[in-house]
Amino acid sequence: MLEDIKKEYMTFCNRLEAIKEYINLLDSEKNFVTLASCDKELEENEKLANIIQSIKNNTNSQVTYNAIIISLYSCYENFIDCILTKYLELISQLGISYDKLPSKILETQQYQVGLFLSNPQRYSNVDFKCLDVIEKYNACLKGNDNYELNTKLLLNHSNNLGLESLKNVFAQIGISDILKKIKCTDKFLNYYMKEKSLTDKKETQKILLSIKDSMIFYNLQDLVNRRNEIAHSWNEDDRLSIQSIKNEYITFFLSIGEVIRDVIMTEVYLVLYKNDLLNEFKTIHNVYNNSIVCLNNENQILKKGDYIFVVSKIPKIVEISNIQINNEDVEYVDETNIDVGIEVNSNIKISNKFYYYKEQKET
């Protein structure tokens, strides 16, 4: 069910890795120049000397730096647009009637459709046709089973995705307080502790909730600012070091991308939960080490990599990392009414409620 959302994150990771590899190539070229400058024979070769000088000029050029900054920002913005598109496409395909979708989606779509139809010239940068927009919206209002959301309108944003714009684009499709949701995840907590050399989880949680978002997500807003400065003035006076981009900024975006993926997947399950499309595990025997739940699987097929929806103070999905039957590891459980131990990748408690989604078979 969540495959397309996970694919968007993997595409994001691959693109970030490609940027990192490009930076590594620049490092290799610098090392080559250093070694070549110590070789008198190479120095005396005019063609090689010209090549070495070209490499020197390229690795330190404004063009190279600009390309990295713009590529990194484009990678980030495209990821947000694409993964939210997949989210909207998915929740409209779960068999949920249009009027039962998150109310903010209905409100935003109504507003954006009206805005577009009253002034379609404003959307000249997007390939919209009035008839297509009207037909899609009409299918939604009529309650057609195969309705489609106007995703491009729902995700329309004219500004770069800095902190405020990022919050707005999530909020307009019903995912409020995205930065707070990110800060409250175990994965971002672990990332922040590692980056800041912190050891106390509870203290770190307090820090994340007390410090301004502009400080916690500094790398994101800084990248947006640098991208804008380059776009409008070409040069940037206080350039980042290439190593800083690789070790700090790319690491940050890899982390935040993974957390955003998890938040969006959780939102899918929240929509299912609010529409009574999840089944509760009725028999919970115990929870051990805050990570292993012993339960009866009832009639649910379980396998590693599946997700369970956990209802607690902060609802979340957890991924099954291991399954045991009678203390023996298994890859999956396809029998009914079996007591199993399920290890998950996030903290859980016996007081939590656990739900699963049973996909409907096509007839």
Side-chain angles (χ1 to χ4, degrees), residues 176-185 209 213 217:
S176 59
D177 297 323
I178 181 60
L179 299 182
K180 184 178 180 181
K181 283 181 167 70
I182 291 171
K183 291 187 293 184
C184 288
T185 62
L209 294 175
D213 290 339
F217 300 101

Side-chain angles (χ1 to χ4, degrees), residues 201-259:
K201 283 195 172 184
K202 288 186 177 180
E203 188 61 32
T204 305
Q205 287 173 330
K206 291 180 182 178
I207 292 171
L208 286 172
L209 294 175
S210 61
I211 293 180
K212 291 182 179 180
D213 290 339
S214 57
M215 295 178 65
I216 295 170
F217 300 101
Y218 171 82
N219 290 346
L220 191 157
Q221 188 61 54
D222 184 60
L223 176 68
V224 173
N225 294 342
R226 291 177 185 278
R227 179 266 170 205
N228 290 342
E229 188 174 348
I230 287 169
H232 294 106
S233 65
W234 178 260
N235 289 313
E236 189 182 333
D237 296 331
D238 59 336
R239 287 206 276 179
L240 292 169
S241 72
I242 300 300
Q243 291 305 314
S244 176
I245 295 172
K246 184 175 79 169
N247 297 327
E248 296 176 27
Y249 284 68
I250 291 179
T251 300
F252 167 82
F253 280 102
L254 283 169
S255 174
I256 201 174
E258 182 180 20
V259 175

Side-chain angles (χ1 to χ4, degrees), residues 345-362:
N345 66 340
S346 186
N347 287 344
I348 53 175
K349 298 179 180 179
I350 188 65
S351 59
N352 298 154
K353 290 187 176 182
F354 302 87
Y355 293 80
Y356 63 91
Y357 174 63
K358 192 169 186 178
E359 295 191 44
Q360 302 297 316
K361 294 183 179 179
E362 294 184 6

Side-chain angles (χ1 to χ4, degrees), residues 155-332:
L155 299 174
N156 183 54
H157 58 88
S158 56
N159 297 324
N160 298 129
L161 288 178
L163 293 182
E164 286 303 314
S165 294
L166 182 68
K167 287 192 291 185
N168 290 338
V169 77
F170 273 83
Q172 67 192 27
I173 58 169
I175 305 176
S176 59
D177 297 323
I178 181 60
L179 299 182
K180 184 178 180 181
K181 283 181 167 70
I182 291 171
K183 291 187 293 184
C184 288
T185 62
D186 294 334
K187 286 180 180 176
F188 191 78
L189 176 70
N190 293 332
Y191 158 79
Y192 195 80
M193 288 178 66
K194 183 178 179 181
E195 289 300 305
K196 303 299 181 182
S197 301
L198 302 171
T199 56
D200 189 310
K201 283 195 172 184
K202 288 186 177 180
E203 188 61 32
T204 305
Q205 287 173 330
K206 291 180 182 178
I207 292 171
L208 286 172
L209 294 175
S210 61
I211 293 180
K212 291 182 179 180
D213 290 339
S214 57
M215 295 178 65
I216 295 170
F217 300 101
Y218 171 82
N219 290 346
L220 191 157
Q221 188 61 54
D222 184 60
L223 176 68
V224 173
N225 294 342
R226 291 177 185 278
R227 179 266 170 205
N228 290 342
E229 188 174 348
I230 287 169
H232 294 106
S233 65
W234 178 260
N235 289 313
E236 189 182 333
D237 296 331
D238 59 336
R239 287 206 276 179
L240 292 169
S241 72
I242 300 300
Q243 291 305 314
S244 176
I245 295 172
K246 184 175 79 169
N247 297 327
E248 296 176 27
Y249 284 68
I250 291 179
T251 300
F252 167 82
F253 280 102
L254 283 169
S255 174
I256 201 174
E258 182 180 20
V259 175
I260 286 173
R261 178 203 65 184
D262 290 353
V263 168
I264 290 172
M265 293 194 299
T266 297
E267 291 294 326
V268 172
Y269 272 79
L270 271 172
V271 173
L272 290 167
Y273 176 70
K274 290 176 180 178
N275 284 276
D276 297 321
L277 292 174
L278 295 180
N279 298 311
E280 184 180 0
F281 287 106
K282 301 291 186 181
T283 305
I284 306 296
H285 299 301
N286 212 337
V287 169
Y288 299 97
N289 300 325
N290 294 323
S291 62
I292 299 172
V293 56
C294 296
L295 52 78
N296 187 283
N297 79 317
E298 301 166 16
N299 65 343
Q300 173 67 6
I301 296 174
L302 299 171
K303 60 181 182 294
K304 288 183 181 180
D306 279 353
Y307 293 94
I308 294 173
F309 184 66
V310 179
V311 175
S312 57
K313 185 177 180 180
I314 302 176
K316 61 183 176 180
I317 59 169
V318 295
E319 186 174 359
I320 298 174
S321 56
N322 194 29
I323 304 173
Q324 283 195 348
I325 300 177
N326 296 325
N327 296 319
E328 292 188 6
D329 292 346
V330 296
E331 292 295 316
Y332 59 89

Side-chain angles (χ1 to χ4, degrees), residues 110-128:
Q110 180 182 10
Y111 174 77
Q112 290 290 354
V113 168
L115 198 63
F116 169 75
L117 293 177
S118 65
N119 191 5
Q121 292 79 12
R122 290 182 57 187
Y123 298 81
S124 58
N125 61 324
V126 184
D127 185 21
F128 285 151

